[in-house]
Amino acid sequence: MCGIMGYTGADQALPILIDGLARLEYRGYDSAGIAVIGDGGGIEVVKRAGKLANLTDALGDVGPAGHIGIGHTRWATHGVPNDVNAHPHTDPTGDIAVIHNGIIENYAELKAELIERRGAVFRSDTDTEVIAHLVASLYEGSLPAAVRAATARFEGQYAFAVIDRRHPDVIVAAKRAAPMILGHLDGGALLSSDVAGLIAHTADVEALEDDQVAVLTPDGITVTDLDGTPTEGHRYTVDWDVEAAEKQGYDHFMAKEIHEQPRAVADTLLGRVDADGRIALDSVDFDPALLRAADKVYVVACGTSYHSGMVAKYGIEHWARIGVEVEIASEFRYRDPILTPNTVVVAISQSGETADTIAAAEYARAQGAKVVAVTNIVGSTLARLADAVIYTRAGLEVAVASTKAFITQVVALDVLALYLAQERRQMFAEECRDVLERLEALPALMERVLAAEDQIAELARRFADADYVMFIGRQVGLPIALEGALKLKEISYVHAEGFAAGEMKHGPIALIDDGGPVIALATDGHVKAKVVSNIQEVKARGAVVLAVATEGDTEVKAHADHVIYVPDVHELLYPVLTVLPLQLLGYHIAVALGRDVDQPRNLAKTVTVE
């Protein structure tokens, strides 16, 4: 997830670009850059690794003058964060500059073709530079025609904007499955990846639709399809203020991020099959055949990431047929674990900078184990020290309580489980792709669950006065019970605990009193009957039961006081759906109690100390 800005008009472009990027920096801050066509006709590019402040320091008090330009703040997906990989990217002649948000899935094939046919020389590790080269190779006098021709060849999800010094007042933009918002001005035009970048300048905006191309000039904006036929995006008037625009109309960043999860899951699954039809990770620095000799997998993580690791245990053991132990990272290296060159250690950290997880990964490598990192940050410490990496592509999370980082970890770990199964010859490639297709269907099903928010908010208001809330589950429902309890306690400060449902009679059932809420994960599967029995046990002792069950289920409804339904999926994929109502429940209880949802007390987003 990146922030992009563009402006053409009568005013100086640079101040508008910098102002817009400042409002978009929440979308990514690995690097930032601008490209402006100056009065002399050339494109001046300035870009720096790190936060936007590094770019503004490099620009100084003046910066390049010009009435048209593009700007970018980056969340890295291809290539580590540095000056070279920062956007904008140019073609070899410097005629064209490009900014991009998203992923070009077939960039490797296009890059190889450009190298073979045109002798193209690439300076960065990004997929974005391919856009600049391809547009330049297709240019025959019309920039919009070149962009349309290039867009027709791209696979993936993307939004990008192009300027060309030969057309010194024109910006051409295109999109597919990534946001591109146009801003209409008197005597100019704007574009951004988010309304937040435009709202200070105009409320008259137009959302570009998929496979549309926009041409922005000082005289206005025109939109066509990929054939060049005139069409229109979705034009509307924004009534948010600047702060609300950054949250896209939601009251809190956490609410916004909960609703971003279907897109985050889709992004995480992009490009996971290579040209040979095999499951692929983002990077592997060893011979995958070595995995056939692997005899043990450890998963090390902290907090929410620990719960995603618990979910992963079921998928790895089921599909890859290898034993898995899930360890709290802060405890792992202190218990003298048995590690050999045949051990795989999966280290999970949203930021890639979690001190305990990094220490565990370093310890594992020192013992000769292979380390696989699951992280959201390209070039993070964890990604650099690992032997293999799979990125979650959740984009930036502002709220301290993790939602989309957790759910993308679960999905990325499912992909890792399929990769291990493939390399260990436990599943055929076709079987792996079948599961992957089931994963790819999840975003649409997630939207259906999120549509029940009003029902969940009403239940949250009923439960807001509870002193204690218990969450119970079995099999893949257990880590979701733990995650639901964690979300509730960290943002509402209500005492909440998650338990294995089968352990209730071994102590926790003593906590049940009349009217106390119990949240039960009771979706279809081979343990559902057991969970129903546990629901009956707590009901008999006066609990008020909210169950999460599968659509069409009548048995659970007969025993629970309230039921939230989720669509029917493969048993191991339920966590991606069942965690959603628990996130919403925790959020709305916290709102009802007047808590600071985005910045709860005593917590920090990234824990960089042990």
Side-chain angles (χ1 to χ4, degrees):
M1 186 170 70
C2 304
I4 62 178
M5 277 295 298
Y7 170 78
T8 179
D11 295 328
Q12 285 293 314
L14 184 60
I16 295 172
L17 297 176
I18 296 299
D19 176 73
L21 293 179
R23 302 184 192 283
L24 297 174
E25 195 172 17
Y26 77 91
R27 296 180 65 89
Y29 44 77
D30 294 327
S31 58
I34 56 94
V36 173
I37 300 179
D39 296 335
I43 298 178
E44 185 169 351
V45 176
V46 182
K47 51 187 183 176
R48 291 292 186 272
K51 294 189 175 183
L52 183 63
N54 294 355
L55 174 64
T56 56
D57 287 345
L59 291 168
D61 296 330
V62 181
H67 300 278
I68 178 173
I70 52 178
H72 188 273
T73 181
R74 181 176 184 236
W75 187 266
T77 58
H78 293 78
V80 299
N82 58 29
D83 290 356
V84 175
N85 289 330
H87 299 213
H89 291 282
T90 60
D91 74 311
T93 66
D95 291 336
I96 288 172
V98 175
I99 53 175
H100 166 226
N101 171 38
I103 297 170
I104 305 297
E105 289 188 36
N106 62 331
Y107 87 99
E109 299 101 275
L110 295 172
K111 184 175 182 178
E113 176 187 315
L114 289 161
I115 292 171
E116 180 180 351
R117 294 187 179 182
R118 299 179 62 87
V121 176
F122 289 83
R123 290 166 288 189
S124 76
D125 300 318
T126 68
D127 53 344
T128 305
E129 192 178 359
V130 170
I131 301 175
H133 280 261
L134 187 59
V135 170
S137 73
L138 296 170
Y139 179 80
E140 295 179 346
S142 169
L143 184 60
V147 170
R148 288 196 299 269
T151 302
R153 299 204 56 195
F154 295 142
E155 297 174 8
Q157 59 89 16
Y158 50 79
F160 67 90
V162 183
I163 57 174
D164 187 321
R165 68 173 184 81
R166 294 161 293 192
H167 305 274
D169 61 357
V170 176
I171 305 175
V172 182
K175 67 144 297 193
R176 179 182 298 155
M180 175 67 78
I181 313 297
L182 312 175
H184 293 266
L185 303 170
D186 291 332
L190 291 159
L191 64 81
S192 179
S193 50
D194 194 319
V195 168
L198 308 177
I199 197 66
H201 305 282
T202 182
D204 183 4
V205 302
E206 183 174 0
L208 208 59
E209 305 286 0
D210 285 353
D211 295 322
Q212 290 184 337
V213 176
V215 179
L216 289 70
T217 73
D219 296 324
I221 300 172
T222 58
V223 178
T224 70
D225 61 19
L226 294 184
D227 294 325
T229 304
T231 185
E232 294 179 350
H234 172 58
R235 191 164 178 175
Y236 60 101
T237 301
V238 177
D239 57 4
W240 307 333
D241 60 20
V242 171
E243 181 180 358
E246 291 176 350
K247 297 175 183 173
Q248 296 182 350
Y250 292 99
D251 291 335
H252 302 92
F253 279 108
M254 184 177 179
K256 170 177 170 287
E257 288 157 10
I258 288 172
H259 285 272
E260 286 176 340
Q261 289 178 114
R263 166 53 53 199
V265 167
D267 288 348
T268 297
L269 292 170
L270 283 171
R272 296 305 182 189
V273 178
D274 65 18
D276 296 323
R278 295 172 62 80
I279 303 296
L281 305 187
D282 289 291
S283 71
V284 179
D285 295 334
F286 59 86
D287 182 355
L290 294 173
L291 295 173
R292 290 175 205 146
D295 54 18
K296 187 66 169 289
V297 173
Y298 285 101
V299 178
V300 294
C302 303
T304 283
S305 296
Y306 175 73
H307 297 153
S308 70
M310 291 180 68
V311 176
K313 173 183 173 71
Y314 296 97
I316 295 172
E317 290 188 340
H318 177 74
W319 288 316
R321 305 310 297 163
I322 184 171
V324 179
E325 288 190 34
V326 186
E327 302 270 354
I328 295 172
S330 59
E331 295 292 327
F332 179 69
R333 63 196 171 115
Y334 297 117
R335 69 170 188 81
D336 194 19
I338 300 170
L339 301 169
T340 74
N342 291 332
T343 306
V344 176
V345 174
V346 180
I348 313 169
S349 167
Q350 181 277 139
S351 65
E353 304 297 340
T354 306
D356 288 316
T357 306
I358 290 169
E362 289 174 334
Y363 178 84
R365 284 207 70 183
Q367 302 299 312
K370 294 288 184 291
V371 174
V372 179
V374 179
T375 182
N376 198 35
I377 310 296
V378 175
S380 61
T381 301
L382 185 61
R384 294 196 305 272
L385 71 83
D387 300 293
V389 183
I390 182 166
Y391 293 111
T392 56
R393 302 173 187 161
L396 181 67
E397 260 190 347
V398 176
V400 167
S402 179
T403 52
K404 61 180 181 173
F406 169 80
I407 214 163
T408 53
Q409 286 172 356
V410 170
V411 171
L413 288 161
D414 282 337
V415 173
L416 176 60
L418 295 175
Y419 178 80
L420 290 170
Q422 166 188 278
E423 298 304 326
R424 290 171 54 77
R425 298 178 177 174
Q426 297 296 317
M427 294 174 70
F428 292 114
E430 295 80 6
E431 294 176 299
C432 291
R433 289 199 299 273
D434 176 69
V435 178
L436 192 63
E437 287 173 3
R438 293 171 185 253
L439 287 166
E440 290 170 342
L442 288 175
L445 303 181
M446 294 167 68
E447 295 283 9
R448 284 166 52 185
V449 179
L450 292 171
E453 182 169 8
D454 289 345
Q455 174 199 359
I456 297 166
E458 174 58 32
L459 291 170
R461 287 188 284 272
R462 294 189 186 189
F463 293 159
D465 293 332
D467 296 323
Y468 174 76
V469 180
M470 182 179 291
F471 294 74
I472 60 174
R474 288 175 180 257
Q475 205 230 11
V476 292
L478 171 58
I480 300 307
L482 296 171
E483 176 63 12
L486 177 62
K487 282 293 148 296
L488 179 59
K489 72 179 72 171
E490 66 184 341
I491 62 172
S492 72
Y493 320 143
V494 172
H495 185 194
E497 290 186 81
F499 294 103
E503 288 294 297
M504 291 297 292
K505 60 180 66 68
H506 297 286
I509 202 165
L511 295 168
I512 300 297
D513 57 13
D514 193 36
V518 174
I519 317 301
L521 283 301
T523 48
D524 283 352
H526 69 285
V527 298
K528 191 190 84 171
K530 300 289 187 183
V531 177
V532 171
S533 295
N534 298 130
I535 290 173
Q536 292 172 309
E537 289 170 359
V538 298
K539 279 285 292 178
R541 289 156 177 82
V544 174
V545 176
L546 166 59
V548 180
T550 304
E551 288 177 348
D553 186 295
T554 56
E555 183 183 8
V556 173
K557 185 177 181 181
H559 299 287
D561 298 281
H562 311 281
V563 183
I564 299 168
Y565 291 103
V566 299
D568 186 18
V569 294
H570 186 288
E571 188 171 3
L572 295 180
L573 304 187
Y574 271 117
V576 176
L577 302 181
T578 55
V579 74
L580 299 174
L582 304 194
Q583 292 171 343
L584 288 169
L585 184 71
Y587 168 76
H588 283 288
I589 288 176
V591 170
L593 294 173
R595 308 302 192 211
D596 186 344
V597 174
D598 288 334
Q599 295 181 318
R601 68 190 183 198
N602 304 334
L603 299 176
K605 188 65 183 171
T606 301
V607 182
T608 57
V609 294
E610 294 186 49

